[in-house]
Amino acid sequence: MEEGARSCLLQSRSSLEQDIRASYLMDHMISDGVLTGDEEDRIRSKPTRREQAAALLELLLRKDNQAYISFYNALVRESYGDLASLLHNSLPLVSPEAEKSFSDGGTRYVQAVLSEGGVPQRPVVFVSRPALVNRVREKLYHLQKEPGWVTVFGMAGSGKSVLAAEAVRDHALITECFPGGVHWLSIGQLDRSDLLVRIQSLCFRLEQQSQEKDPSSSIHRPPGSLEEAKERLRFLMLRRYPRSLLILDDIWDSSVLKAFDIQCRVLLTTRDRSLADCVSGSKSEVAVESGLEEDQALEILALYVNGKPQRLPEQARSIVRECKGSPLVVSLIGALLREFPDRWAYYLHTLQQKKFKRIRKSSSYDYDALDQAMAASIQVLSEEHRELYIDLTVLEKDVKVPAKVLSVLWDLEPEEVEDVLQDFVNKSLLFRDCHHRPYLYYLHDLQLDFLAEMNRSGLESLHTKVVRQYQQRYSQGPPTSGDEECLYWFRFLTYHMAKANLTQELCSLMFSLDWVRTKAQIMGPAHLINDYVEYGAILDKENSEVRVHFQEFLSLNGHQLEQRPFPDVVQLALSQPDSSEVYRQALLQAQERATRG
Ligand code: ADP
């Protein structure tokens, strides 16, 4: 093996050991002929996943360039995109396969800029749409000299997000137009408090990065209101990140867009062409056709089955036609065919069936093909995995979760959860965001629509399961680590309780000063305040006075609860009127403190 490749493997060894599953990768390496059955057996005989990973790497280090390339390709196929990217720059250029791996157009600099800004990576199976990408880039060049908006619009699932990420994967564009960087923000359907939290975390990310570059710049407390957030962002974009691009992915609502009307450069993706009408500045737009061109869709199928587009069976074209080139559906079917290569006719027939009748279609898009493809993909899951997949119905749209949340929900060991998730990712039933460690997982919102529709009658019990599993895991008190999992529970426990119709439990949680204190400390007060508004009607059935007490306490003290160091909540609560439930609980706690000394 070339020195550069070996050195890269050694440098990346600990990250690889930590994450890879040797058993998945070895299948590919055996079929590439770089690993023998005996070698595989020896590696499999190691007792733990980590030891197997270490043994595979050890063996790999003694092999040649082909083995390195095969290992790299196996990582890509098994959706370890970020690990593959560690090895990418040292790929020995000895085969056309390796040349192809370099074709993402991204230099090391581009990769660094995009990764810092949270721009999603390419899907594992990817085809380029050069005409569209060029159209978006051309519009982005108009932002070189002045701020403005580029709207990429089209149907759900037509590939807008992938396209937006692809458009900025270009060295010249970034250096010439956006030397200040590219910052990605996933929006989706959200309310004001969610939006505030998103902008807060964007500001935090920007301040943190700018502090790394210039230690004299400071990190401020999070902005407390949307107006303040908008001003903070304006300041940051103007002073610290001039000539940078903000990508707002999947905007639904013009009021959301107004929060970003701060004279900066924005690329937005949306289903609604007219959204940008409400903001000021120069504007341009690019339409994304709802489906891929036939050739591109065939290329996706070919990539999945490791074949050439020209050699695909005759049903391939009909499959593409049947799903109107929808990249999401083609990916689902491609993943199925990878597993069952002789089922072309069967899946074509499946797509042609019109079994699912939606009660409510969320847009004019024809979802029939997606429904059939989703049903077929779910059908080939093992029974056990199918049940687990159905549990994902309870996730809110546009929310990404770490595996640990699912480990609580499914009561499985983290390693088992990884296996399950890998199965879903391989089938395109789930997507993985590799920018975060630990990884975050999410469904496309059309997939969630499908699940919600399929499990409409069981929704309440699915949400109940989430709450019960949480209560079982955290019987001693909520998690306080502040990691992604902990944040998930603080953000969504109330949501699951409300959907599960667990009114009593929701009330006792939200009428507890302890919950208020911990949630405010971990997430800031914005979400908390919103919870009382959102679930007000449910809480009022139990006790509207107490609901008002908590809400008043929060609106009076919201700004204090944003301060760090975090204030003494009992002290704050003691200044409430003594008829307030908040006061009553604070008094009890103060007395307890006094007796404990
Ligand atoms: P939208 O933003 O329009 O809802 P996405 O960009 O999220 O759609 O794409 C939906 C899915 O379609 C992706 O998760 C991916 O699996 C697939 N996809 C989209 N564009 C491509 C592409 N160029 N190559 C391969 N797959 C694609």
Side-chain angles (χ1 to χ4, degrees):
M1 183 182 300
E2 276 180 22
E3 187 186 23
R6 196 163 50 245
S7 149
C8 183
L9 263 183
L10 285 167
Q11 279 171 26
S12 318
R13 194 173 183 161
S14 67
S15 312
L16 290 163
E17 264 184 36
Q18 202 177 320
D19 286 327
I20 58 167
R21 229 150 230 275
S23 50
Y24 297 148
L25 304 174
M26 288 191 298
D27 282 349
H28 299 288
M29 296 173 73
I30 286 181
S31 61
D32 286 350
V34 300
L35 203 69
T36 66
D38 283 352
E39 288 170 330
E40 186 193 21
D41 291 344
R42 248 183 292 138
I43 290 169
R44 276 187 190 274
S45 69
K46 305 282 175 204
T48 64
R49 182 203 58 78
R50 200 177 178 121
E51 284 169 85
Q52 292 185 0
L56 177 61
L57 290 168
E58 194 54 51
L59 182 67
L60 189 58
L61 282 163
R62 284 185 268 123
K63 292 193 173 269
D64 61 3
N65 286 341
Q66 286 300 345
Y68 183 95
I69 293 167
S70 165
F71 179 69
Y72 169 86
N73 285 330
L75 287 174
V76 171
R77 289 197 190 114
E78 290 298 332
S79 312
Y80 292 111
D82 60 333
L83 293 175
S85 68
L86 294 176
L87 306 188
H88 185 260
N89 285 334
S90 301
L91 272 171
L93 288 176
V94 296
S95 74
E97 183 81 343
E99 289 275 14
K100 206 168 73 195
S101 315
F102 267 108
S103 65
D104 72 353
T107 57
R108 197 187 277 260
Y109 168 74
V110 170
Q111 273 180 14
V113 170
L114 300 190
S115 158
E116 194 164 295
V119 177
Q121 288 141 326
R122 276 181 176 173
V124 180
V125 170
F126 168 81
V127 295
S128 53
R129 302 167 89 176
L132 262 180
V133 170
N134 285 340
R135 231 172 292 151
V136 179
R137 285 189 183 149
E138 189 193 311
K139 304 290 181 197
L140 288 173
Y141 265 102
H142 294 166
L143 304 183
Q144 186 173 21
K145 295 262 158 27
E146 53 162 6
W149 309 78
V150 175
T151 301
V152 170
F153 69 94
M155 299 288 192
S158 56
K160 300 181 293 297
S161 312
V162 172
L163 175 67
E166 198 51 28
V168 291
R169 199 165 285 126
D170 183 83
H171 191 92
L173 180 73
I174 294 184
T175 48
E176 288 166 30
C177 298
F178 310 115
V182 178
H183 311 286
W184 184 280
L185 204 58
S186 301
I187 304 281
Q189 280 170 294
L190 37 68
D191 54 33
R192 283 178 71 83
S193 72
D194 282 322
L195 177 61
L196 174 57
V197 173
R198 291 287 154 96
I199 306 182
Q200 282 173 341
S201 53
L202 175 66
C203 291
F204 181 73
R205 194 167 89 195
L206 294 173
E207 287 184 337
Q208 215 178 17
Q209 284 166 8
S210 112
Q211 200 185 36
E212 276 165 22
K213 287 173 193 143
D214 169 15
S216 67
S217 68
S218 49
I219 295 188
H220 299 86
R221 69 172 179 78
S225 66
L226 264 182
E227 274 314 305
E228 204 188 324
K230 186 171 169 179
E231 286 317 307
R232 177 79 54 84
L233 194 59
R234 186 200 304 276
F235 172 84
L236 278 167
M237 297 304 270
L238 196 70
R239 295 286 170 81
R240 307 248 185 97
Y241 293 88
R243 301 189 66 208
S244 65
L245 178 70
L246 202 55
I247 303 186
L248 305 174
D249 185 34
D250 199 19
I251 302 257
W252 286 68
D253 193 336
S254 55
S255 67
V256 170
L257 213 51
K258 284 188 189 142
F260 297 93
D261 196 359
I262 50 173
Q263 289 287 303
C264 63
R265 295 162 167 83
V266 178
L267 168 64
L268 65 119
T269 75
T270 178
R271 300 163 201 205
D272 178 354
R273 179 180 192 170
S274 62
L275 270 189
D277 291 352
C278 72
V279 288
S280 52
S282 81
K283 290 164 212 166
S284 55
E285 57 181 38
V286 176
V288 180
E289 309 83 36
S290 57
L292 296 164
E293 305 276 334
E294 187 178 73
D295 286 352
Q296 293 162 332
L298 289 174
E299 197 182 328
I300 293 192
L301 289 177
L303 281 167
Y304 270 108
V305 298
N306 272 336
K308 294 212 168 0
Q310 310 83 293
R311 299 244 179 88
L312 294 177
E314 53 173 297
Q315 291 94 346
R317 275 174 208 283
S318 313
I319 287 181
V320 169
R321 223 165 299 132
E322 206 57 49
C323 61
K324 304 190 175 71
S326 154
L328 185 58
V329 180
V330 175
S331 302
L332 282 163
I333 297 290
L336 283 168
L337 287 163
R338 176 168 58 186
E339 228 174 302
F340 305 101
D342 48 1
R343 291 196 183 169
W344 289 88
Y346 174 71
Y347 287 128
L348 171 58
H349 178 65
T350 308
L351 285 179
Q352 286 165 336
Q353 287 177 335
K354 303 275 183 267
K355 267 197 307 210
F356 295 91
K357 285 279 156 279
R358 294 249 166 162
I359 306 293
R360 174 181 56 83
K361 291 205 177 190
S362 38
S363 77
S364 56
Y365 178 73
D366 173 5
Y367 288 107
D368 287 343
L370 179 84
D371 293 352
Q372 305 304 332
M374 282 292 289
S377 301
I378 292 174
Q379 201 189 342
V380 300
L381 293 173
S382 66
E383 199 172 320
E384 197 187 330
H385 283 195
R386 194 176 315 139
E387 270 177 35
L388 300 178
Y389 189 69
I390 286 172
D391 283 340
L392 302 182
T393 312
V394 298
L395 295 181
E396 262 220 281
K397 283 190 179 170
D398 310 305
V399 173
K400 299 180 177 179
V401 294
K404 257 171 100 182
V405 167
L406 302 170
S407 147
V408 175
L409 172 59
W410 294 334
D411 194 19
L412 290 178
E413 292 301 318
E415 298 222 322
E416 292 173 285
V417 173
E418 273 173 30
D419 277 353
V420 177
L421 295 177
Q422 187 68 46
D423 186 25
F424 298 163
V425 169
N426 287 346
K427 294 191 163 67
S428 300
L429 281 167
L430 187 70
F431 299 98
R432 175 152 60 200
D433 178 348
C434 297
H435 277 313
H436 296 80
R437 285 303 179 98
Y439 298 146
L440 300 178
Y441 295 87
Y442 60 99
L443 291 135
H444 192 279
D445 55 2
L446 294 180
Q447 296 178 312
L448 268 173
D449 274 347
F450 173 83
L451 281 177
E453 202 58 40
M454 181 172 106
N455 303 307
R456 220 143 28 102
S457 59
L459 261 187
E460 200 173 300
S461 65
L462 288 174
H463 283 284
T464 307
K465 175 174 173 189
V466 184
V467 177
R468 296 289 173 246
Q469 294 296 95
Y470 167 86
Q471 288 169 332
Q472 189 180 324
R473 177 70 65 101
Y474 293 111
S475 55
Q476 307 296 319
T480 51
S481 63
D483 67 4
E484 285 286 344
E485 186 228 0
C486 163
L487 292 180
Y488 181 85
W489 295 117
F490 277 102
R491 172 76 188 85
F492 292 106
L493 184 59
T494 45
Y495 165 76
H496 292 302
M497 286 179 165
K499 292 277 178 194
N501 247 332
L502 295 169
T503 309
Q504 289 275 332
E505 267 136 312
L506 182 67
C507 293
S508 61
L509 188 73
M510 292 186 61
F511 294 161
S512 142
L513 190 57
D514 286 335
W515 173 258
V516 168
R517 177 185 27 230
T518 327
K519 179 157 180 169
Q521 189 163 10
I522 288 178
M523 304 202 69
H527 264 302
L528 202 50
I529 295 171
N530 185 62
D531 280 353
Y532 288 90
V533 177
E534 183 145 2
Y535 306 122
I538 306 178
L539 300 174
D540 284 356
K541 276 193 235 149
E542 182 80 6
N543 194 331
S544 59
E545 263 176 52
V546 174
R547 198 262 304 153
V548 171
H549 295 160
F550 274 89
Q551 219 164 334
E552 275 175 359
F553 170 67
L554 286 169
S555 44
L556 273 173
N557 295 288
H559 59 293
Q560 306 260 30
L561 297 174
E562 273 154 17
Q563 305 293 333
R564 295 295 179 269
F566 194 65
D568 182 342
V569 170
V570 172
Q571 282 304 324
L572 290 181
L574 284 174
S575 53
Q576 293 297 288
D578 54 12
S579 57
S580 162
E581 171 65 17
V582 178
Y583 174 85
R584 193 190 67 77
Q585 291 187 23
L587 188 62
L588 274 180
Q589 294 195 14
Q591 285 165 345
E592 239 173 70
R593 273 187 203 172
T595 48
R596 267 191 273 123

